[in-house]
Amino acid sequence: MMIPATAGASVDPQSALHTYAQARLADSDGALALAVAHYGAALARDPDRVEIAQRAYVQALESGDKALALQSAALLDQAGLLPRDGTLLRIGEALEQRDWAAATTLTDRMEQEGNFAFLGPILRSWIGVGEGRAVPLAIDAKDRFAALAQRYVDEHQALLALNAGDVADAVAPLRRAIALRPADAALRLSLATHLAGRKAKAEALLLLPPGGAHFTQARAEIARRKIKAPPLTPAQGYARLLARLAVDIGSDREGLGLALRLARIATFADPGSPENHIIAARLLTSAGFAGAALAETDKVPPAGWYGALAQAERVDALAVDGQIDAALALARTMAAQPDAESERHVRLGRLLAQHQDFDGAAAAFRAAQARFGDAVVPWSLLLFEGSALEQGERWDEARAVLERAAALAPNEPVILNYLGYAQIERRQNVTEALDLLKKASALKPQDPSITDSLGWAQFVTGNVKAAVPVLERAAAGAPADTTINEHLAMRFGRLVAAMRRAMPGAPRHFMPKATWRRGSPPRPRKD
């Protein structure tokens, strides 16, 4: 077929269209840095092209290109197309420039737009700091977003009090902030820094429990020397707010894109904060941008207080980047350090499991449990160990560990699902295993994985009539899950065989190909 001349015409390689096409191609390949470079070049060649500005804006934020993000945001704002998080970007820039009037105007706009209106009271208090006046931070209990805003208020009440040198007023909200996020080591280090910088060393040390590698260096330095902690600037306070919000939004996979953009805006507003870079690295890894995540961990001094936290994120990024040997080496080093926290052993165990070293993984998970001493071991660590033992074909040991987990958390669906499914696969204790799966399904009826386990158990125990609607419901809930669809296909495969026995002359194409699929059911799910 001949191609019309117009269709075959070449595109000027210097044109914005050509550069934009290159950017889209790099974008589709996951080459974040190359994509943003091309988007920037395309935008420079055609600054009036809105679709280029829209792409450039998102990519600039994800890649951490502040200049391009601001440039594309300005163009989108002129066109009336600036995303809501673009207002947050502009607020950060106004705070950095100490333009309090612009920051106030943009805060008004943010509240009118609605999406991030709950941040308003906190932001106005930080603007007040810049203007040299105290703006009390209080949330109207009648406000519809009061409960959401309260998640962030305590930390900032504490920081504002510490900025003013008032340790007494800081203590109560500070403790509430820690109680809300007890496992956040970076938050503890940050607040301890500001307490120690105001000579409240005893309070600072209370935030850093002894016997943990994360805090060993900080505790020693707080005890022996004077800690310098200048008051936070409004831009720095704002950055902390956005970083904390990014963590919360990023806990939901669907919010990951927005979370990453917020984390990048936080690094723009306070590029010197180790905590912001650690959060950005974590979100970049989750989004699949492992190379960019590694670059963020490089911005945190490894010998500093936050070094170990950044190295933990580096392990995850290396693993996602396919550098498994490097990830394992670093994970082993971290787990071997004196007083290594449970989470270090868990990280190592997960990597070993991915590497098919299930015996090593089980040992790592036991080491994580040992960190709890005489305290009750979390059921999740028992589940991790039991899973590693089961995958390592040490079923008797695995079952004993999984039963301990079920005894600790008898209403935890994921444990009931794992233990029940594993026994069904081995045709052991079938009646009891089926009861476990029924209970798991009743506790979490909308979980396709658990629904599939129940349907599969009903099928293999001969209750096909009950199994069919359950498996179909599981497949409808997770259409891309190959395991679930394989179970459904195997059920129909047996139905076809029965029909053929009844009608020996029926051709093979009597039923769709999917109904003749066969395969070994997978191991119990860990999700």
Side-chain angles (χ1 to χ4, degrees):
M1 184 179 74
M2 295 188 65
I3 300 174
T6 53
S10 63
V11 177
D12 180 1
Q14 299 303 314
S15 70
L17 178 60
H18 183 269
T19 309
Y20 178 67
Q22 289 179 309
R24 292 297 301 271
L25 182 61
D27 195 354
S28 66
D29 288 341
L32 190 59
L34 183 59
V36 78
H38 285 314
Y39 280 126
L43 192 62
R45 289 168 181 165
D46 192 351
D48 296 325
R49 188 71 66 89
V50 170
E51 59 268 30
I52 296 178
Q54 287 174 318
R55 288 276 181 176
Y57 171 79
V58 172
Q59 291 294 325
L61 281 179
E62 290 183 348
S63 68
D65 190 327
K66 180 181 177 182
L68 181 58
L70 289 169
Q71 178 192 359
S72 53
L75 294 170
L76 291 173
D77 208 6
Q78 290 172 8
L81 295 172
L82 183 67
R84 296 294 190 250
D85 52 46
T87 302
L88 301 182
L89 173 67
R90 295 195 59 200
I91 289 172
E93 179 66 6
L95 292 174
E96 284 187 85
Q97 299 298 322
R98 304 175 64 84
D99 188 341
W100 314 126
T104 299
T105 299
L106 288 164
T107 300
D108 292 340
R109 172 175 167 174
M110 177 192 73
E111 291 177 329
Q112 291 166 4
E113 290 172 344
N115 302 64
F116 301 102
F118 64 94
L119 303 178
I122 302 173
L123 185 47
R124 291 186 188 281
S125 290
W126 283 111
I127 292 173
V129 169
E131 293 175 331
R133 60 188 181 89
V135 178
L137 175 49
I139 301 297
D140 183 355
K142 297 179 181 178
D143 188 286
R144 60 177 177 153
F145 296 118
L148 179 58
Q150 197 61 49
R151 285 185 58 84
Y152 308 97
V153 164
D154 290 325
E155 179 181 353
H156 289 269
Q157 283 179 331
L159 291 170
L160 289 163
L162 289 170
N163 254 28
D166 192 340
V167 173
D169 277 358
V171 169
L174 181 151
R175 289 176 177 172
R176 290 195 297 269
I178 290 293
L180 182 64
R181 307 172 192 273
D184 193 330
L187 173 62
R188 288 176 175 272
L189 284 169
S190 177
L191 292 174
T193 299
H194 288 282
L195 282 168
R198 282 139 191 87
K199 300 180 181 180
K201 290 193 173 188
E203 285 289 348
L205 291 172
L206 284 176
L207 297 185
L208 309 176
H214 287 340
F215 304 134
T216 300
Q217 181 181 352
R219 285 184 61 84
E221 292 186 12
I222 288 172
R224 76 169 183 262
R225 68 177 178 86
K226 182 178 180 180
I227 303 299
K228 294 182 179 179
L232 291 177
T233 67
Q236 290 172 324
Y238 177 65
R240 290 180 68 107
L241 176 60
L242 291 190
R244 204 73 63 224
L245 179 60
V247 170
D248 288 347
I249 292 176
S251 64
D252 182 342
R253 185 76 192 177
E254 292 183 359
L256 189 54
L258 173 59
L260 180 51
R261 295 194 295 275
L262 295 179
R264 283 300 201 183
I265 296 171
T267 63
F268 295 163
D270 185 10
S273 165
E275 187 176 6
N276 291 346
H277 293 300
I278 289 168
I279 290 170
R282 185 181 313 146
L283 293 169
L284 283 162
T285 298
S286 297
F289 300 128
L294 291 170
E296 286 301 300
T297 64
D298 287 339
K299 297 173 184 177
V300 180
W305 290 9
Y306 296 84
L309 301 180
Q311 292 301 294
E313 301 301 334
R314 189 171 186 83
V315 170
D316 294 343
L318 286 167
V320 170
D321 201 40
Q323 302 183 55
I324 299 298
D325 290 342
L328 275 171
L330 182 54
R332 284 193 172 100
T333 297
M334 296 186 69
Q337 291 176 357
D339 296 325
E341 287 83 0
S342 175
E343 67 187 67
R344 299 191 186 202
H345 296 289
V346 170
R347 182 173 278 105
L348 174 60
R350 285 178 164 173
L351 279 174
L352 289 168
Q354 290 175 25
H355 212 52
Q356 306 294 302
D357 181 358
F358 298 116
D359 290 345
F365 294 135
R366 283 193 294 273
Q369 295 167 35
R371 290 289 298 156
F372 287 84
D374 295 330
V376 176
V377 174
W379 62 262
S380 57
L381 295 184
L382 294 172
L383 178 60
F384 288 153
E385 182 192 357
S387 169
L389 290 168
E390 187 270 336
Q391 291 181 89
E393 300 183 356
R394 295 162 63 182
W395 168 240
D396 289 340
E397 295 172 74
R399 179 179 166 184
V401 173
L402 292 169
E403 286 176 341
R404 283 176 57 205
L408 276 177
N411 294 316
E412 182 53 54
V414 68
I415 298 175
L416 302 177
N417 180 51
Y418 200 110
L419 180 57
Y421 187 89
Q423 292 181 95
I424 287 290
E425 283 293 87
R426 292 165 175 81
R427 309 303 190 264
Q428 294 179 358
N429 304 310
V430 171
T431 301
E432 294 85 348
L434 187 57
D435 287 341
L436 290 175
L437 293 172
K438 287 178 179 178
K439 183 177 180 180
S441 183
L443 289 166
K444 203 170 183 181
Q446 302 305 316
D447 188 311
S449 178
I450 294 175
T451 302
D452 171 65
S453 294
L454 175 59
W456 181 246
Q458 291 169 326
F459 176 58
V460 300
T461 54
N463 192 353
V464 177
K465 184 177 180 181
V468 172
V470 176
L471 289 171
E472 288 177 338
R473 190 168 74 248
D481 190 305
T482 56
T483 297
I484 291 175
N485 283 285
E486 185 173 76
H487 286 170
L488 185 60
M490 291 178 74
R491 178 264 155 196
F492 281 119
R494 291 196 184 181
L495 178 60
V496 171
M499 293 175 70
R500 289 211 183 95
R501 285 194 295 272
M503 298 180 292
R508 188 170 180 80
H509 61 265
F510 182 74
M511 290 294 244
K513 282 188 178 181
T515 63
W516 344 308
R517 290 180 58 200
R518 293 292 186 273
S520 300
R523 295 285 187 185
R525 279 155 285 295
K526 288 77 171 175
D527 53 352

